[in-house]
């Protein structure tokens, strides 16, 4: 593969996509982008509010629009929302517009890293562990099918995960 213009980070809530995107972008001297943050910046409200007013369906429409725009940006590491891979067209957009890295995280890691639920309405007022387990089970095949490469994040610091990706890109001649 030629040098990609963008790296996409996919994976479940609490995998560390946003933090790793910032760190990796710093090492590559690229820009860090984040679909959730962009949706919040464009609407001026948090994701919980969008789910409340427009439902998940409305949120997914906004998420697609942001993804399409990000596919036009260059030299960027893009953190994506955990459910972005649900849509087959999104999966195709990811694979054809950059190098896709799956940040895998076990349930314990996700539980520990999802204390902040402001942009995660699916976890509010529910049995968080059950919701995360069900999501992981149903989405795991989608993450695997979409990713060009997988990195394990359990027990790893942000810096270590970013370094592993950076070194992997180097081994492919991409960084
Ligand atoms: C979602 C994950 C969230 C956010 C929204 C929906 C999901 O992003 O996009 O709450 O369906 O898994 P993170 O993966 O960054 O938490």
């Amino acid at each position: 593969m030629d040098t990609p213009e963008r790296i996409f980070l996919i994976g479940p809530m609490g995998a560390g996509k946003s933090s790793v995107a910032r760190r990796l972008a710093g090492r590559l001297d690229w820009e860090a982008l984040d679909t959730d943050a962009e949706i919040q910046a464009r609407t001026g409200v948090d994701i919980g509010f969008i789910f409340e007013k427009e439902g998940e369906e409305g949120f997914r429409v906004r998420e697609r629009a942001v993804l399409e725009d990000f596919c036009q940006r260059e030299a960027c590491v893009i953190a994506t929302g955990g459910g972005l891979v649900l849509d087959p067209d999104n999966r195709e957009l990811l694979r054809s517009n950059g190098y896709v890295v799956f940040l895998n995280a076990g349930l314990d890691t996700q539980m520990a890293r999802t204390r902040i639920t402001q942009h995660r309405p699916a976890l509010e007022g529910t049995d968080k562990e059950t919701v995360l387990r069900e999501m992981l089970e149903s989405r795991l095949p989608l993450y695997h099918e979409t990713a060009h490469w997988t990195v394990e994040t359990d027990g790893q610091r942000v810096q270590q995960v970013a370094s592993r990706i950076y070194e992997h890109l180097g081994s492919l001649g991409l960084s």
Side-chain angles (χ1 to χ4, degrees):
M1 187 193 277
D2 293 335
T3 305
E5 288 158 352
R6 47 198 86 77
I7 310 284
F8 292 105
L9 304 184
I10 62 170
M13 294 189 239
K17 294 162 292 183
S18 305
S19 309
V20 171
R22 283 192 293 272
R23 186 66 71 127
L24 180 61
R27 287 199 68 173
L28 292 165
D29 205 15
W30 283 9
E31 191 181 0
L33 299 173
D34 185 314
T35 57
D36 287 339
E38 181 68 15
I39 292 167
Q40 295 185 137
R42 286 183 186 188
T43 57
V45 294
D46 67 33
I47 286 169
F49 190 78
I50 299 173
F51 267 67
E52 207 181 294
K53 295 288 171 201
E54 303 178 349
E56 181 173 350
E57 207 182 319
F59 171 76
R60 297 295 172 204
V61 171
R62 294 181 182 279
E63 191 176 47
R64 160 70 67 78
V66 167
L67 176 62
E68 284 176 346
D69 290 350
F70 281 179
C71 287
Q72 307 300 317
R73 306 274 283 267
E74 290 178 9
C76 50
V77 182
I78 301 161
T80 62
L84 187 135
V85 297
L86 289 170
D87 184 309
D89 293 339
N90 285 353
R91 299 201 291 276
E92 177 53 33
L93 275 174
L94 291 169
R95 279 193 70 87
S96 57
N97 284 283
Y99 192 76
V100 186
V101 179
F102 169 31
L103 270 62
N104 198 10
L107 203 56
D108 289 349
T109 301
Q110 285 188 62
M111 286 292 287
R113 292 199 197 132
T114 51
R115 294 212 185 84
I116 300 165
T117 55
Q118 199 183 15
H119 74 285
R120 294 167 172 143
L123 302 183
E124 298 243 37
T126 56
D127 173 359
K128 194 167 97 171
E129 188 170 347
T130 303
V131 172
L132 287 174
R133 182 183 294 109
E134 287 173 359
M135 279 186 173
L136 194 60
E137 274 169 15
S138 62
R139 295 174 178 183
L140 205 52
L142 303 179
Y143 294 134
H144 279 300
E145 114 182 16
T146 310
H148 292 105
W149 188 66
T150 299
V151 62
E152 301 299 330
T153 70
D154 286 345
Q156 303 286 311
R157 290 172 187 278
V158 168
Q159 194 180 335
Q160 291 172 307
V161 177
S163 289
R164 287 213 56 209
I165 301 173
Y166 183 82
E167 280 156 23
H168 172 75
L169 296 174
S171 75
L172 297 176
L174 300 179
S175 71

